[in-house]
Amino acid sequence: MPITKLVDKINKQKYKQKRRNQNSSEPADSQGNTQPNSQANALANPEDNPDSLSLNLEQNLQRIQSVFVESSDLVIRKFKIGANESINAFIVMFNGLIDEKSVSADLINPLMSLQHDLKKNNAINIIRDSSLTVAVVKESRTFGEITNAVLSGDTALFIEESNIALLASLRGWEARGVTEPKTEAVVRGPREGFVESLGTNMALLRRKMRNPALKFWELQIGRQTKTSVCVAYLNGIANDKIVAEVKNRLQRIDTDSILESGYIESFIEDAPFSLFPTVGNSEKPDIVSAKLLEGRVAILVDGTPFVLTVPYLFVEAFQSAEDYYTRPFYATFIRSLRWLAFFLTTFTPALYVAITTFHQEFLPPALLVSIAAAQEGTPFPSMVEALLMQTIYEILREAGVRLPRPVGQAVSIVGALVIGDAAVSSGLVGAPMVVVTALTAISSFVISSLTDVSTLARFILIILAGFSGLYGVMLGFIAFLIHQVSLRSLGAPYMSPLAPSTFSDLKDVFIRSPLWMMLTRPRAFWEKDSNRKKPNLMPTPPGDQKGEK
């Protein structure tokens, strides 16, 4: 091929490639013709976006009415702005989500009595800057954003010949006041608890920690409910990797509804098929604040008083806020009782079944004779007795929880007494099994956060004890222990500081050391500021105070 033809061919290929690049960068219209792709043109013509507001006020009104068709609680108020009534406008709000007095006093009255000489091209700026007496006012250009804001309780203001709407925060609805949470009652300590309002819960945390490092990151989850979810953490103390992972898991949630924080928990937990929880929850601001100060991350959900905290460790179930408000000796004693109660409620029925079925030689002769006499007329083996009594107890407990409180307490107490006495009198179960069931039930109330874990583990261990005796109980204990050690909560070892063992963190596991000895945050998930400030324990000698000589 001659060199000239080769050069011409190359030039033609370059020219065709250049034309293809130009065509691909220009969008095509409905006939396939290319149109100039200019961002400036898109901004100059906002009405090209079907979700954008129109300059025609009547079109905006019709669009709002079509979006909220058959919504009897929708309120649309038309009026004229200014004393000369030169500009038409209307507001959109939902009855029950707004404060009607504030809407009249802070929005409608100032606009209707406005004395400025308004022009339609600059009316929106004058109204926003000089007329409204509302603390929070935002601008919006899209119907999607306006719809979400109005459904959240904001009031939208539409003005004639303006493609910008103002969103005024005039929310006001019936809400429960801040009261003492019933699930975490204390003898000494704060009595306030979280409520169903996300804004109130954020304010409760801000009151506890007057620190600009306390950050709130908010998003909406749920295609239908669009529930507001907030991530709270202390910048500089929380691990950046954990914070990023929490945000990433929340953003990946794709579901129709989020009605309670339990929905969030099921989506973000590390081991959804495990008996042991890897996400904590609390109703008390002081507990959540203490966890944030240790480097954890809190997740607040609008519509529920239960706040999630991650990472969550197994030892947290045995810690109470009241431990840190009392003297360390008594707090250590109470914490030891919690550990003992957990093992009693989990292993007592299984140990009873194993010993009375396979290992009677472990019992003293007098106790063995007493148990044998009590079981002489019973038709069932020990395993069946234990499963029967535990099932009856769980039914009574569930009935007491679901029924109204006065009736529920009566059903629980009377039912337990009547059924227990009737079971022994009729010879269905022995008296020792009733005592074992009662001890198990009372012990389970001490560790309320692990009630579901101990209940399921108790049934599994009873079955293992009925077939294999103490060997089955030990096998089940080892299996649970191996499973717990393998768990992670947002990357933190679930059994820390026991496994892996961290000596500096053991001061707050089985014992509660004095606060001035706990100088470091948990090493399972800290990354930045791990040291707490050590207080000066030595009293200042007289005459050495500042300003004295």
Side-chain angles (χ1 to χ4, degrees):
M1 180 181 296
I3 189 67
T4 54
K5 292 184 178 180
L6 181 61
V7 172
D8 292 340
K9 186 175 181 181
I10 293 175
N11 291 335
K12 289 180 180 179
Q13 291 177 350
K14 290 182 178 180
Y15 177 76
K16 291 179 181 180
Q17 183 66 32
K18 184 177 180 180
R19 292 291 300 171
R20 281 197 297 266
N21 294 338
Q22 292 177 350
N23 293 336
S24 62
S25 63
E26 297 175 354
D29 58 11
S30 58
Q31 284 77 24
N33 301 323
T34 59
Q35 301 291 337
N37 185 11
S38 173
Q39 186 176 3
N41 290 339
L43 294 175
N45 300 299
E47 293 187 355
D48 293 343
N49 183 1
D51 195 43
S52 297
L53 269 66
S54 172
L55 294 175
N56 190 316
L57 186 65
E58 189 63 29
Q59 291 183 2
N60 293 333
L61 177 59
Q62 294 176 359
R63 179 70 179 271
I64 290 294
Q65 291 174 340
S66 64
V67 170
F68 297 111
V69 64
E70 295 187 5
S71 298
S72 58
D73 55 343
L74 179 68
V75 177
I76 298 178
R77 170 73 160 85
K78 298 180 181 180
F79 60 96
K80 294 182 180 294
I81 298 177
N84 55 359
E85 299 183 352
S86 58
I87 298 179
N88 296 318
F90 69 89
I91 58 174
V92 179
M93 53 191 173
F94 273 97
N95 187 23
L97 298 182
I98 49 91
D99 185 356
E100 296 183 2
K101 294 182 179 179
S102 298
V103 171
S104 300
D106 299 331
L107 186 63
I108 298 179
N109 290 342
L111 292 179
M112 295 183 68
S113 59
L114 189 63
Q115 299 297 328
H116 287 281
D117 186 14
L118 296 179
K119 296 181 179 179
K120 295 182 180 181
N121 56 357
N122 67 344
I124 194 72
N125 297 325
I126 296 176
I127 291 173
R128 181 194 60 222
D129 300 334
S130 305
S131 302
L132 296 183
T133 59
V134 184
V136 180
V137 179
K138 300 179 182 178
E139 291 185 357
S140 179
R141 297 174 180 269
T142 61
F143 282 101
E145 184 179 358
I146 294 171
T147 300
N148 291 336
V150 172
L151 290 172
S152 299
D154 289 342
T155 303
L157 171 64
F158 293 82
I159 301 174
E160 185 180 4
E161 294 190 9
S162 175
N163 59 356
I164 300 176
L166 296 181
L167 303 176
S169 181
L170 296 169
R171 304 179 183 184
W173 52 73
E174 295 295 330
R176 182 172 63 92
V178 177
T179 57
E180 182 180 2
K182 298 180 180 180
T183 59
E184 295 176 281
V186 294
V187 177
R188 179 179 179 180
R191 307 282 180 172
E192 59 186 6
F194 289 117
V195 296
E196 287 74 16
S197 173
L198 179 61
T200 303
N201 294 340
M202 294 168 65
L204 289 173
L205 286 180
R206 184 69 73 181
R207 284 183 54 203
K208 290 291 181 183
M209 292 178 288
R210 299 176 177 90
N211 189 348
L214 178 60
K215 306 298 181 183
F216 293 108
W217 182 78
E218 192 172 341
L219 75 161
Q220 288 187 342
I221 303 177
R223 292 191 299 268
Q224 303 298 331
T225 60
K226 292 181 174 60
T227 306
S228 296
V229 179
C230 180
V231 177
Y233 62 95
L234 279 173
N235 189 28
I237 294 180
N239 191 324
D240 290 338
K241 296 180 181 178
I242 294 178
V243 175
E245 180 64 21
V246 171
K247 294 180 180 180
N248 186 30
R249 293 189 185 187
L250 291 176
Q251 289 175 330
R252 291 205 309 262
I253 296 177
D254 185 14
T255 183
D256 281 346
S257 62
I258 298 293
L259 302 178
E260 212 273 337
S261 57
Y263 286 52
I264 299 291
E265 180 179 353
S266 62
F267 279 106
I268 68 172
E269 60 184 346
D270 291 73
F273 298 104
S274 174
L275 293 179
F276 299 91
T278 56
V279 178
N281 63 80
S282 177
E283 280 191 273
K284 291 179 65 64
D286 57 322
I287 295 179
V288 176
S289 299
K291 293 181 183 296
L292 292 177
L293 289 167
E294 289 183 345
R296 291 179 175 86
V297 179
I299 302 174
L300 296 82
V301 181
D302 190 24
T304 175
F306 289 91
V307 175
L308 306 179
T309 56
V310 289
Y312 181 75
L313 307 182
F314 178 70
V315 297
E316 293 184 48
F318 303 91
Q319 299 170 347
S320 172
E322 201 169 356
D323 293 348
Y324 307 94
Y325 305 148
T326 57
R327 295 181 60 80
F329 302 104
Y330 182 72
T332 300
F333 173 70
I334 295 299
R335 186 170 294 182
S336 301
L337 289 183
R338 295 192 192 106
W339 282 96
L340 176 62
F342 174 73
F343 283 99
L344 286 177
T345 189
T346 306
F347 292 97
T348 299
L351 291 176
Y352 176 82
V353 171
I355 292 175
T356 56
T357 306
F358 296 97
H359 309 281
Q360 296 89 350
E361 65 276 8
F362 286 180
L363 298 175
L367 180 59
L368 180 60
V369 172
S370 177
I371 294 177
Q375 289 185 334
E376 183 177 1
T378 57
F380 304 115
S382 297
M383 183 185 73
V384 177
E385 284 186 6
L387 292 175
L388 178 63
M389 291 303 296
Q390 293 298 323
T391 303
I392 293 175
Y393 160 67
E394 293 299 328
I395 292 174
L396 288 175
R397 186 174 68 87
E398 188 67 15
V401 171
R402 303 305 170 191
L403 287 174
R405 185 169 299 274
V407 180
Q409 292 178 351
V411 168
S412 300
I413 297 174
V414 176
L417 293 175
V418 172
I419 292 178
D421 182 69
V424 175
S425 301
S426 61
L428 291 177
V429 296
M433 180 57 67
V434 177
V435 176
V436 170
T437 304
L439 178 62
T440 302
I442 294 173
S443 300
S444 66
F445 298 148
V446 179
I447 308 295
S448 58
S449 59
L450 291 178
T451 300
D452 52 347
V453 175
S454 60
T455 300
L456 298 176
R458 189 188 311 136
F459 278 91
I460 295 173
L461 292 173
I462 289 174
I463 296 174
L464 291 176
F467 287 102
S468 304
L470 291 178
Y471 297 103
V473 176
M474 185 59 64
L475 180 63
F477 174 71
I478 294 175
F480 284 134
L481 195 60
I482 293 175
H483 173 65
Q484 286 180 274
V485 173
S486 65
L487 290 177
R488 296 262 173 178
S489 177
L490 270 296
Y494 184 64
M495 290 298 290
S496 177
L498 301 175
S501 180
T502 306
F503 179 77
S504 61
D505 293 345
L506 293 177
K507 297 190 293 293
D508 196 23
V509 178
F510 300 106
I511 64 173
R512 204 281 278 173
S513 300
L515 295 178
W516 52 267
M517 290 184 61
M518 293 187 286
L519 304 178
T520 58
R521 296 183 174 88
R523 296 180 179 272
F525 41 82
W526 65 264
E527 182 182 51
K528 296 179 180 179
D529 187 4
S530 62
N531 295 319
R532 305 177 190 266
K533 182 176 178 58
K534 184 176 180 180
N536 184 13
L537 302 180
M538 298 299 295
T540 304
D544 288 353
Q545 285 85 357
K546 185 177 180 181
E548 295 185 4
K549 297 182 180 179

